[in-house]
Amino acid sequence: MNVLFFSSKVYDSTFFNKCNAEFDHKLTYLEVPLNKSTAVLAKGHEAVCIFVNDEANAEVLQELADQGIRLIALRCAGFNNVDLEAAQKFGMKVVRVPAYSPHSVAEHTLALILTLNRKTHRAYNRVKEGNFALNGLMGFDLNGKTVGLIGLGKIGLVTAQILKGFGCRVLGYDILKRDEFDEIGIEFTDLNRLYAESDIVSLHCPLTPQTHHIINKESIARMKKGVMLINTSRGALVDTKSVIGALKSGHISYLGIDVYEEEADLFFEDLSDRVIQDDVFMRLLSFNNVLITGHQAFLTSNALESIAAVTLQNISDFEHGRQLENEVKA
Ligand code: NAI
């Protein structure tokens, strides 16, 4: 099929071109994101391949449909940026990559926890400058700490397994209880107890109307003073202004985020020679107990290989009228 990629980077074309030898689709890569101004570029293609911050709202989907697009292939797991009802209305199918490497995101979650705790980012800079003083670098043993995971899907479960290896007590909350939680040794509980007892709270649920700003002033107030908050899921799970208030008061002692609610204007681009206009983001950057990465939790070679293989298979299945295993519907 004739497929147009939006928001593509060198690592996307590298992995997709290599994998496409088996599929033989015609792949065209654009660096621009999908939005109402760029949708018109889809003319002459049959499918578009998009990523987390591409805009696929009703207006954009209408334009894509007018240009002859029949398939939206997400090269990610989350699909909160696609208006599924509109896609259905315009006769377009939507496919995604439900699981490519839950380990990539779970291990990045641990990277954030360990860096914030043991301050290896600060130690690295100090030692480079010949400063071997240890003041301000004290951490705590992860062993024996209680970690609360919200969302016990593929990533939440791998995170739980890794944390158990560190000797942590793992509390978990999900809308659905499954047998595997007991097998891994997760104490399934409600949000009240999870907030009240966790030294670290980590988010692994999708962004839905129910989870939008699940972390807000009121939920933070129910957490332990000095809690560490980690978000590798989606930015809008967290009300950033409430978190800034809690960082200032000391209620939250550490914040590690790979995602940010207004990240679409910032992430995946080199803005180092510009003045960043987002004052909320700049306030976050000013805290020395906040660690931000730019939506890179998925970025391992294993994950990229898997994303390319599953996405191209999804496109081939659509092309040949086969059952769409990874279809997402309204
Ligand atoms: P999954 O679908 O396997 O698991 C999500 C879990 O959240 C399910 O068990 C579901 O029942 C639960 N859930 C749904 N609504 C909930 C609610 N209101 N409260 C508590 N739990 C709820 O998804 P997976 O693969 O584990 O991914 C989780 C999220 O991680 C994705 O939705 C995506 O937003 C994010 N993600 C981030 C990446 C990154 O690079 N930072 C990469 C991949 C995924």
Side-chain angles (χ1 to χ4, degrees):
M1 274 182 93
N2 218 340
V3 187
L4 183 66
F5 283 61
F6 283 94
S7 301
S8 83
K9 303 288 175 203
V10 174
Y11 48 80
D12 291 312
S13 49
T14 305
F15 281 86
F16 271 90
N17 285 342
K18 194 169 162 213
C19 187
N20 194 38
E22 274 175 50
F23 292 91
D24 211 23
H25 294 297
K26 185 167 184 296
L27 310 181
T28 306
Y29 301 97
L30 293 181
E31 283 184 25
V32 290
L34 174 64
N35 55 42
K36 62 177 194 283
S37 327
T38 60
V40 69
L41 299 171
K43 192 175 170 57
H45 299 84
E46 299 156 279
V48 292
C49 183
I50 64 172
F51 197 48
V52 290
N53 291 328
D54 286 308
E55 280 172 32
N57 56 30
E59 193 184 354
V60 172
L61 291 173
Q62 165 85 74
E63 181 65 45
L64 290 177
D66 291 348
Q67 301 303 335
I69 295 299
R70 296 179 293 131
L71 178 71
I72 311 289
L74 287 150
R75 53 180 189 279
C76 55
F79 49 87
N80 50 283
N81 52 335
V82 182
D83 184 333
L84 295 174
E85 277 170 16
Q88 198 173 335
K89 186 172 133 202
F90 300 132
M92 286 188 271
K93 297 279 187 196
V94 181
V95 286
R96 66 168 180 146
V97 186
Y100 39 88
S101 169
H103 297 273
S104 64
V105 183
E107 289 172 15
H108 192 78
T109 301
L110 263 293
L112 293 178
I113 293 174
L114 290 168
T115 308
L116 276 170
N117 175 19
R118 303 307 298 268
K119 301 163 182 66
T120 41
H121 55 317
R122 299 176 71 186
Y124 173 83
N125 286 328
R126 281 192 195 182
V127 171
K128 279 244 173 205
E129 290 183 3
N131 176 359
F132 304 102
L134 298 182
N135 291 338
L137 299 185
M138 189 161 48
F140 54 82
D141 285 9
L142 208 45
N143 179 48
K145 291 289 179 294
T146 300
V147 185
L149 305 178
I150 302 178
L152 298 171
K154 291 172 285 296
I155 295 169
L157 289 187
V158 175
T159 307
Q161 281 167 325
I162 300 173
L163 289 164
K164 291 301 278 185
F166 273 90
C168 295
R169 172 178 173 236
V170 179
L171 299 180
Y173 169 75
D174 197 296
I175 44 171
L176 299 168
K177 182 164 177 2
R178 299 195 304 275
D179 291 344
E180 346 165 44
F181 303 167
D182 290 337
E183 288 156 26
I184 295 173
I186 299 169
E187 289 176 47
F188 190 73
T189 185
D190 58 24
L191 281 177
N192 265 333
R193 184 164 153 241
L194 185 145
Y195 289 142
E197 296 184 16
S198 298
D199 302 295
I200 300 172
V201 172
S202 186
L203 306 176
H204 301 286
C205 54
L207 176 61
T208 63
Q210 292 72 39
T211 59
H212 182 264
H213 284 187
I214 189 170
I215 303 300
N216 53 39
K217 220 173 177 172
E218 187 265 332
S219 52
I220 294 168
R222 289 192 272 155
M223 293 181 198
K224 273 187 173 179
K225 191 167 178 339
V227 68
M228 180 189 289
L229 177 66
I230 303 289
N231 185 11
T232 56
S233 277
R234 283 293 180 268
L237 295 176
V238 171
D239 173 17
T240 314
K241 288 188 179 149
S242 299
V243 167
I244 289 175
L247 283 162
K248 285 166 78 176
S249 72
H251 198 112
I252 293 179
S253 284
Y254 313 82
L255 174 71
I257 54 173
D258 185 52
V259 286
Y260 168 61
E261 48 185 334
E262 302 300 333
E263 69 179 46
D265 295 334
L266 300 170
F267 287 6
F268 308 119
E269 300 303 328
D270 178 0
L271 305 181
S272 54
D273 61 351
R274 303 213 200 139
V275 174
I276 291 178
Q277 300 295 325
D278 183 333
D279 292 347
V280 174
F281 186 77
M282 293 315 282
R283 183 68 182 101
L284 275 183
L285 277 187
S286 73
F287 294 97
N288 65 8
N289 53 354
V290 172
L291 182 60
I292 306 176
T293 52
H295 210 136
Q296 71 171 75
F298 72 99
L299 195 69
T300 66
S301 53
N302 313 67
L304 289 173
E305 269 168 23
S306 175
I307 287 170
V310 175
T311 304
L312 294 172
Q313 184 64 53
N314 286 342
I315 294 169
S316 286
D317 288 347
F318 175 81
E319 182 179 24
H320 299 293
R322 289 191 289 257
Q323 167 93 14
L324 292 179
E325 232 179 83
N326 298 319
E327 181 175 6
V328 272
K329 290 185 183 167

